[in-house]
Amino acid sequence: GAVVSQHPSWVICKSGTSVKIECRSLDFQATTMFWYRQFPKQSLMLMATSNEGSKATYEQGVEKDKFLINHASLTLSTLTVTSAHPEDSSFYICSARDLIGTGSGEQYFGPGTRLTVT
Amino acid sequence: DAKTTQPPSMDCAEGRAANLPCNHSTISGNEYVYWYRQIHSQGPQYIIHGLKNNETNEMASLIITEDRKSSTLILPHATLRDTAVYYCIVRVGGGTSYGKLTFGQGTILTVHP
């Protein structure tokens, strides 16, 4: 149980275009999802917290107009990188909190999406 | 959330126990200790968490000192597949609380044949 999927697993896009990454909780409902970014040989950095049906809360230094987050249902959150630049190339990872199933409030992570902007 | 300190790297022989330490001397009474690991190019995987009592599950054991200022994650019989970065994180709440996970640099555990 507690499986989180991401799609796509990797994507290459041209500079200036937008790319959407999906995060789904497959066997539980998640009122809260989190989006992280990880550059090579660095740790995960939290970008934003996404609550179903409300606006996302962004961490300091993360541009909300560039990284659009939508959490329209209890099992799906999307991250759209708008007007991508090469410096946005990174490993994007989502996680979801299981608050309804076991009630443990644990975060379960997706497998990540490797974004390369050329 | 309290800051944690972990050694940057550790080695372990396959089949032996791996003991990964973590210092969290500024932990508050309502903060839990969580352990996650990240295998290369994958998302982090939850291992175990605890408040003050020692905990054990199918993956590992968590030993928390009585003063809660440090803890040790124990992988009883390490395998090559346990090679990963291990993150010790302290945060508020273990139930419906809201706390965010803040990742430090973690410990790179390398298991040798």
Side-chain angles (χ1 to χ4, degrees):
Chain A
V3 177
V4 176
S5 70
Q6 283 185 240
H7 178 79
S9 56
W10 60 271
V11 58
I12 302 172
C13 71
K14 292 186 177 181
S15 185
T17 61
S18 296
V19 60
K20 179 185 288 187
I21 302 169
E22 292 186 349
C23 175
R24 294 180 184 273
S25 57
L26 298 185
D27 51 2
F28 66 98
Q29 294 181 312
T31 55
T32 305
M33 290 184 172
F34 302 85
W35 287 96
Y36 295 81
R37 179 169 54 182
Q38 186 175 33
F39 293 108
K41 297 187 178 182
Q42 294 187 23
S43 189
L44 284 79
M45 295 295 296
L46 180 65
M47 298 175 66
T49 301
S50 166
N51 291 300
E52 185 263 338
S54 64
K55 291 183 178 180
T57 303
Y58 291 81
E59 294 299 300
Q60 191 173 9
V62 177
E63 300 175 58
K64 62 179 181 180
D65 294 330
K66 179 171 181 61
F67 299 98
L68 302 179
I69 292 173
N70 183 278
H71 192 163
S73 78
L74 287 172
T75 59
L76 173 64
S77 176
T78 61
L79 168 68
T80 301
V81 182
T82 62
S83 186
H85 290 280
E87 55 265 31
D88 298 323
S89 299
S90 188
F91 192 48
Y92 291 86
I93 307 169
C94 73
S95 71
R97 286 175 62 90
D98 177 3
L99 288 178
I100 298 177
T102 64
S104 63
E106 297 322 309
Q107 282 192 39
Y108 299 95
F109 286 80
T113 296
R114 178 76 59 189
L115 170 64
T116 302
V117 184
T118 62
Chain B
D1 291 340
K3 183 177 179 180
T4 62
T5 304
Q6 298 178 252
S9 64
M10 292 184 65
D11 291 337
C12 178
E14 188 177 21
R16 305 297 291 269
N19 298 288
L20 291 89
C22 179
N23 286 321
H24 31 79
S25 59
T26 60
I27 192 170
S28 300
N30 62 347
E31 288 182 312
Y32 286 70
V33 180
Y34 287 78
W35 283 84
Y36 285 79
R37 73 180 182 183
Q38 185 179 26
I39 296 170
H40 183 63
S41 295
Q42 296 183 25
Q45 176 188 23
Y46 165 80
I47 300 174
I48 199 167
H49 77 282
L51 181 62
K52 55 182 179 180
N53 296 323
N54 298 337
E55 302 288 344
T56 296
N57 62 21
E58 65 278 4
M59 288 184 67
S61 295
L62 174 60
I63 308 298
I64 303 175
T65 58
E66 191 169 344
D67 63 7
R68 300 186 69 238
K69 293 184 177 182
S70 66
S71 61
T72 301
L73 177 74
I74 301 173
L75 307 179
H77 305 286
T79 70
L80 298 178
R81 288 183 293 181
D82 291 323
T83 293
V85 180
Y86 287 76
Y87 296 100
C88 169
I89 302 168
V90 293
R91 72 165 175 89
V92 173
T96 57
S97 299
Y98 211 87
K100 300 181 294 187
L101 290 175
T102 301
F103 286 81
Q105 294 306 306
T107 295
I108 301 172
L109 175 68
T110 303
V111 181
H112 297 286

